[in-house]
């Protein structure tokens, strides 16, 4: 058996007790954050959790108490190693009181991740220097290979989740579908002009327009968009590695920051960008990182080319460089900083206030609706602290702004806060997000944090390079107090790599999987998509709700629900997916119900939703009836089966059967109604179980359009398990056209 040195009795017991407490704190925090916290709504920063069962807590705490003593047991010197682990990992104790007192606070949930990053920094700084000497000798060729593999893994991941999201009806038509539709028009449309290549969908983006148009000429398909998006986002991994190596970081440290780029919750989330998918702003990821690589290599020509190129990606690049001008001013480069700031401000104002309104025939910059509380033009927003001070300061101090900043900073907090001077460049971009009127856009899930996150990555790498040059950090010296080796800059560098990886990994698993988690909840509907495509001729225009429209974008002409149906059109509607406003959807359904040319083709249940398909046929075309909507007299209906109790006085519901064996649900309006309904079916008798929602007539004929005496008949498999409970629920904002015109 391995021998261990012992310590004095009181001291030994104190170290063992401290080790048990630290282990229990860390284990309980992990249990709370990653297993028993149900969900974090990253849009509204709301936390859903459930109480942790006592037996689970007891087992977790018991195992946690053994972790540090167990780790020290396998070393040569038990108590010295245990003491070292205690000194390194004691920050894990700090978040526990906050989690116990405020378990539903978003800010408190970030504390364990920050504490974990600090603890792992201290642990890395406590390792013997000879361990790092071996890592310093990692061959550069090996680093290039590993960075390339990381790039391939990132591209595979980003591409795969976009394909899965598309097959699950998760992605909206906006943004990626809207951009794709414009790229198709630029690639194959007849009435194009050079100005069409300058701006699309309310943004100035000549470079993405030209690149995507050329690619669509080669392969017009959704996978082209997904592949480009994956390549743009995945480029952060090798370019961060290249930046680190250009800044003369060791290969192992450069690989650590490349991994941090992949795990960054902001960039990682942009493959889905909530459910909007591809956005041209992602072209700025390689452009800006490439600029910093050239800067580290003192390649002024490359810097100039990428600087100018960024202005052709999106107009917000001017805001980024205005922030870079602030950094120059902080560096006392007053003349260059002032010139750059004024030039960027002039460029943005000209593009947003003159060029864009003329290109889109709008009265003002298309993005100004985001700032409606502060002004209607960029100049009014800039002057809002004086013109509308109450609205300005109320917007500035919205708590969602602080949550957004904390979420952006958390993954790279240690390396960025070492020397945050270059991070000053993010202030104008940050103001552009935080001054928006809606709190719902102040999140890391959507594209508003892309440029800031790229900048923070560059700041983190360049600050780490300062350590490698022997320039220690006062911040790291402070958080590493009690670790004897922490005084050396080279040791701080390796501790920083450990801490940064812990922060980015913890941030990704806590706040970086929002869109992917929501996507995984949805069922795969690939077979439904194929069935829909078989129903739609290639020459037919498809009018569809947002999530369905994208699947016909590269196959048929498409339109949204604002289009007027014409003969030959196919209409595909999702009745309950939440992607379309209830008012817009029900207005369109009312128009279809009043249009004799709209013939129902079928209805498909789809993962808790209902898809309905119609075809606009020429006048006089005969159409068959629906087998589940049949005429029935009051006497026939009364004799069809027992009456089921429900609260809606306008409907009567009975449980019938076909052939005495197949249970059926039968719903009959007692009088004409001016609304449509869903039928909620669940277990009766107070039992818990799955609840099913069925639209009246499977969504093909609204209840207000049903003829007198018609009965909706639906299968009732729930009857085989016992009594059922039925509720007739009014669909929001539903009603015939006549009631809407009053």
């Amino acid at each position: 058996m391995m021998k261990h040195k012992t310590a004095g009795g009181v001291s030994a017991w104190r170290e063992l007790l401290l080790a048990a407490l630290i282990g229990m704190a860390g284990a309980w925090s992990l249990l709370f954050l990653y297993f028993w916290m149900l969900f974090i709504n990253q849009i509204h920063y709301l936390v859903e959790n459930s109480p942790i069962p006592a037996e689970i807590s007891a087992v977790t705490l018991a195992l946690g108490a053994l972790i540090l003593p167990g780790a020290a047991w396998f070393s040569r010197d038990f108590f010295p190693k245990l003491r070292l682990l205690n000194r390194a990992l004691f920050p894990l104790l700090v978040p526990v009181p906050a989690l116990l007192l405020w378990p539903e606070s978003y800010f408190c949930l970030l504390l364990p991740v920050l504490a974990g990053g600090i603890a792992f920094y201290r642990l890395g700084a406590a390792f013997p220097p000879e361990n790092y000497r071996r890592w310093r000798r990692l061959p550069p060729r090996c680093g290039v290979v590993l960075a390339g593999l990381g790039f391939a893994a990132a591209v595979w991941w980003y591409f795969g989740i976009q394909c899965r999201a598309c097959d699950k009806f998760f992605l909206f038509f906006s943004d990626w579908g809207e951009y794709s539709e414009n790229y198709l028009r630029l690639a194959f449309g007849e009435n194009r002009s050079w100005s069409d290549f300058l701006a699309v969908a309310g943004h100035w983006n000549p470079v993405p327009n030209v690149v995507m148009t050329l690619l669509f000429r080669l392969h017009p398909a959704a996978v082209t968009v997904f592949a480009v998006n994956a390549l743009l986002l995945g480029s952060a991994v090798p370019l961060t590695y290249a930046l680190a190596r250009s800044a003369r970081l060791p290969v192992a440290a450069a690989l650590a920051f490349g991994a941090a780029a992949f795990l960054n919750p902001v960039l990682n989330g942009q493959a889905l960008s909530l459910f909007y998918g591809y956005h041209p702003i992602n072209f700025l990821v390689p452009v800006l990182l490439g600029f910093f690589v050239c800067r580290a290599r003192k390649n002024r020509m490359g810097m100039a080319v990428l600087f100018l190129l960024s202005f052709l990606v999106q107009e917000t690049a001017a805001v980024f460089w205005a922030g870079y001008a602030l950094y120059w001013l902080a560096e006392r480069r007053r003349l260059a900083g002032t010139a750059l700031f004024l030039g960027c401000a002039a460029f943005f104002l000209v593009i947003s206030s003159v060029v864009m309104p003329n290109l889109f025939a709008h009265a003002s910059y298309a993005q100004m609706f985001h700032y409606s509380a502060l002004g209607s033009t960029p100049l009014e927003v800039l002057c809002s602290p004086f013109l509308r001070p109450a609205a300005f300061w109320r917007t500035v101090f919205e708590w969602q702004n602080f949550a957004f900043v904390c979420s952006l900073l958390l993954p790279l907090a240690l390396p960025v806060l070492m020397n945050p001077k270059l991070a000053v460049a993010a202030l104008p971009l940050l103001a552009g997000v935080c001054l928006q009127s809606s709190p719902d856009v102040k999140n890391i899930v959507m594209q508003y944090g892309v440029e800031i996150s790229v900048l923070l990555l560059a700041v983190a790498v360049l600050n780490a390079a300062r350590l490698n040059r022997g320039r220690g950090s006062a911040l790291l010296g402070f958080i590493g107090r009690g670790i004897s080796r922490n005084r050396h800059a080279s040791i701080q560098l390796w501790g920083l790599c450990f801490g940064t990886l812990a922060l980015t990994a913890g941030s990704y698993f806590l706040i970086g999987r929002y869109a992917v988690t929501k996507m995984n909840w949805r069922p795969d509907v690939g077979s439904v998509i194929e069935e829909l495509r078989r129903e739609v001729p290639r020459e037919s225009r498809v009018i569809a709700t947002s999530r369905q429209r994208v699947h016909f974008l590269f196959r048929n002409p498409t339109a949204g629900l604002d289009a007027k149906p014409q003969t030959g059109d196919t209409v595909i509607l999702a009745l309950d997916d939440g992607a379309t406003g209830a008012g817009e959807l029900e207005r369109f359904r009312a128009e279809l119900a009043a249009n004799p040319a709209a013939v129902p083709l079928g209805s498909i249940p789809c993962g808790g939703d209902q898809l309905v398909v119609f075809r606009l046929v020429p006048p006089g075309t005969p159409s068959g009836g629906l087998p589940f909507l049949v005429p029935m007299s009051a006497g026939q209906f009364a004799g069809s089966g027992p009456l089921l109790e429900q609260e809606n006085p306008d409907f009567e519901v009975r449980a019938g059967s076909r052939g005495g064996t197949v249970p059926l649900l039968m719903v009959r309006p007692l009088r004409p109604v001016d609304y449509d309904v869903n039928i909620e079916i669940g277990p009766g008798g107070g039992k818990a179980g799955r609840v099913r929602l069925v639209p009246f007539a499977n969504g093909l004929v609204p209840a207000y359009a049903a003829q007198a005496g018609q009965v909706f008949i639906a299968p009732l498999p729930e009857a085989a398990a016992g009594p059922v409970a039925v509720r007739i629920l009014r669909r929001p904002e539903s009603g015939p056209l006549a009631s809407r015109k009053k």
Side-chain angles (χ1 to χ4, degrees), residues 597-609:
V599 175
L601 296 184
S603 177
I604 308 173
C606 181
D609 196 3

Side-chain angles (χ1 to χ4, degrees), residues 651 653 665 667 677-682 691-698 712 714 725-729 731:
F651 292 83
V653 182
L665 182 75
V667 182
V677 298
N678 287 333
I679 299 106
E680 182 186 87
I681 307 169
V691 175
R692 184 164 59 103
L693 209 64
V694 180
F696 183 86
N698 292 326
F712 169 47
V726 176
R727 297 172 63 201
I728 305 294
L729 306 176
R731 287 184 61 88

